Amino acid sequence: SQGEQKPIFQLQRQLLVSSIKSGLLVVDQQAAHQRILYEKYLTQLQQGKGASQQLLFPERLELHKAEVGWLLELQEELARAGFGLVQEADGVWNIQGVPVELGTNDASAVIRNLLAQYAEHQVHELAALHEQLARGLAKHAAIARGRSLAEPEMRQLIDELFACENPYYTPDGQQTLLTITLEELQRRLSGNAH
């Protein structure tokens, strides 16, 4: 590794804290992971190269008539994201694969949410549709607050965040990180908060 690594720790299983040249770096682990995944999913959707993880046991997805219409409209984009869907009967689908980062938990709920978002916003322009799907997938797949991370995971998360096009905010505009300068810390400790 290049030089000495700065100490890093997890605060309340939510925030990653590390020293930087100018003071302290504080990263919201969930918000940071959302940003990382959003950019990954967006690239996959744009390039049509979403990696799919095959499910050992396909998950059954039963949809009402309106949802079937939305699914048919989104099917190509869901496949680009990494979903493997096979129609079994009218309104019944088998989920045979999911995007790798998503994990295998409750894929049908994720698809239902994506369909509901699509129905609510009726986005048809491809770039906006890709952004909407990437945002929905990133929210579902992001690590939860309260999850303990090992030090290598913390370092990787911060490295991946700073490799993002926009590391400072989630796709919904929530701040992912903040820096606290040494001067600010000294000012607060001396009682001159302003």
Side-chain angles (χ1 to χ4, degrees), residues 1-2 8-9 20 54 131 135 147 177 189 194:
S1 76
Q2 64 280 29
I8 185 171
F9 69 94
I20 53 175
Q54 295 307 298
E131 286 172 15
R135 191 170 27 256
R147 182 169 153 225
L177 62 93
L189 289 169
H194 302 291

Side-chain angles (χ1 to χ4, degrees), residues 132-146:
Q132 182 185 321
L133 287 172
R135 191 170 27 256
L137 287 167
K139 277 184 170 178
H140 281 286
I143 51 176
R145 283 192 175 80

Side-chain angles (χ1 to χ4, degrees), residues 58-143:
E59 194 175 320
R60 189 177 169 91
L61 175 64
E62 293 185 33
L63 302 173
H64 60 70
K65 203 175 191 80
E67 287 176 319
V68 169
W70 303 328
L71 181 66
L72 292 172
E73 289 176 35
L74 282 181
Q75 192 171 9
E76 190 178 323
E77 299 312 313
L78 290 172
R80 289 171 78 100
F83 282 101
L85 296 166
V86 176
Q87 189 167 8
E88 190 181 292
D90 265 1
V92 181
W93 299 74
N94 276 327
I95 304 168
Q96 297 184 333
V98 294
V100 172
E101 293 88 356
L102 198 61
T104 57
N105 291 346
D106 213 5
S108 57
V110 174
I111 290 175
R112 281 183 197 286
N113 266 341
L114 294 172
L115 294 177
Q117 284 175 0
Y118 177 68
E120 184 182 335
H121 300 291
Q122 286 296 311
V123 175
H124 294 291
E125 197 261 313
L126 201 56
L129 178 59
H130 285 167
E131 286 172 15
Q132 182 185 321
L133 287 172
R135 191 170 27 256
L137 287 167
K139 277 184 170 178
H140 281 286
I143 51 176

